[in-house]
């Protein structure tokens, strides 16, 4: 029985561990993306070019979210090595697997294709990301009372019943004892 249990753990364990690490990395990218976008927006507005702003964000943001810093550094190294920008962004999108990073890559690629100012497109996307994050937080906050009501009912109902039934039990005991 122990051997079967160990075989099952050895078979499914690495896959489960890898899945948890992938989910942890994706969550790290998702949480850090709005801050990285804001810092990149500030760097672009301060006069840095897009590539310099991405390098600056990768360097400065490494202390807060190393995952995003690594991904941006890898992407910039790919561009420096001669990979076309659109393919480098496609690889960034594929590596992270996060919707926010995919949207960011699409915004940058569309801005380059249509010739719009990258700072304006970036600012719009950063505002959209902040609003999306705020809406997700509001959704979680609105679900909280519903989730709390079951827990409160489970803990409060026995206490309320005890409070209501104790005087009745005392009266019965006094009446029924001779």
């Amino acid at each position: 029985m122990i051997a079967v249990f160990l075989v099952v753990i050895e078979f499914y364990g690495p896959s489960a561990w890898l899945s948890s690490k992938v989910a942890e990395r994706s969550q790290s990218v998702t949480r850090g993306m709005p801050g990285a976008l804001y810092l990149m927006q500030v760097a672009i507005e301060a006069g840095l070019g897009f590539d310099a702003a991405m390098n600056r964000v990768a360097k400065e943001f490494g202390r807060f979210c190393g995952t995003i810093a690594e991904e941006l550094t890898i992407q910039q190294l790919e561009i420096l090595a001669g990979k076309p920008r659109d393919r480098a962004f496609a690889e960034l999108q594929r590596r992270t697997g996060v919707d926010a990073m995919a949207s960011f890559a699409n915004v940058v690629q569309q801005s380059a294709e249509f010739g719009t100012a990258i700072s304006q497109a970036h600012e719009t996307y950063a505002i959209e990301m902040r609003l999306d994050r705020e809406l997700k937080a509001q959704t979680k906050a609105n679900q909280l009372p519903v989730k709390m009501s079951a827990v409160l009912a489970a803990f409060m109902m026995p206490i309320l019943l005890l409070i209501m039934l104790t005087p009745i039990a005392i009266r019965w005991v006094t009446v029924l004892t001779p």
Side-chain angles (χ1 to χ4, degrees):
M1 192 65 137
I2 293 173
V4 171
F5 180 71
L6 289 175
V7 167
V8 168
I9 286 180
E10 288 176 2
F11 186 74
Y12 290 110
S15 176
W17 177 80
L18 185 61
S19 296
S20 71
K21 289 296 183 183
V22 167
E24 183 180 310
R25 186 171 174 90
S26 296
Q27 188 176 28
S28 173
V29 170
T30 302
R31 284 187 178 166
M33 194 65 187
L37 285 176
Y38 181 70
L39 186 59
M40 195 176 305
Q41 177 186 352
V42 168
I44 290 172
E45 287 177 357
L48 290 178
F50 182 71
D51 290 332
M54 286 189 71
N55 285 333
R56 181 72 178 205
V57 168
K59 186 171 68 171
E60 294 293 329
F61 215 68
R63 295 179 292 205
F64 307 110
C65 184
T67 308
I68 291 179
E70 289 172 11
E71 292 297 335
L72 292 179
T73 302
I74 290 170
Q75 191 229 6
Q76 286 300 310
L77 290 174
E78 287 177 346
I79 291 172
L80 286 175
K83 186 179 278 190
R85 186 180 300 275
D86 57 341
R87 284 192 38 216
F89 272 106
E91 284 295 315
L92 176 69
Q93 181 178 349
R94 185 193 60 78
R95 275 193 316 268
T96 58
V98 176
D99 292 336
M101 193 64 83
S103 299
F104 170 67
N106 288 335
V107 164
V108 171
Q109 287 175 346
Q110 288 175 358
S111 177
E113 284 178 17
F114 298 126
T116 60
I118 189 75
S119 63
Q120 185 180 10
H122 196 272
E123 180 180 354
T124 304
Y125 183 64
I127 290 170
E128 183 181 320
M129 283 283 296
R130 279 187 229 122
L131 289 176
D132 186 47
R133 190 173 184 176
E134 182 179 335
L135 287 175
K136 285 180 183 177
Q138 286 178 357
T139 302
K140 283 187 176 183
N142 289 337
Q143 291 173 350
L144 190 62
V146 175
K147 291 178 181 178
M148 285 178 52
S149 64
V151 174
L152 285 174
F155 288 118
M156 294 293 290
M157 189 60 85
I159 294 170
L160 289 175
L161 286 174
L162 186 65
I163 290 171
M164 289 184 341
L165 295 179
T166 301
I168 296 171
I170 291 172
R171 188 168 291 165
W172 281 358
V173 168
T174 56
V175 168
L176 295 177
T177 56

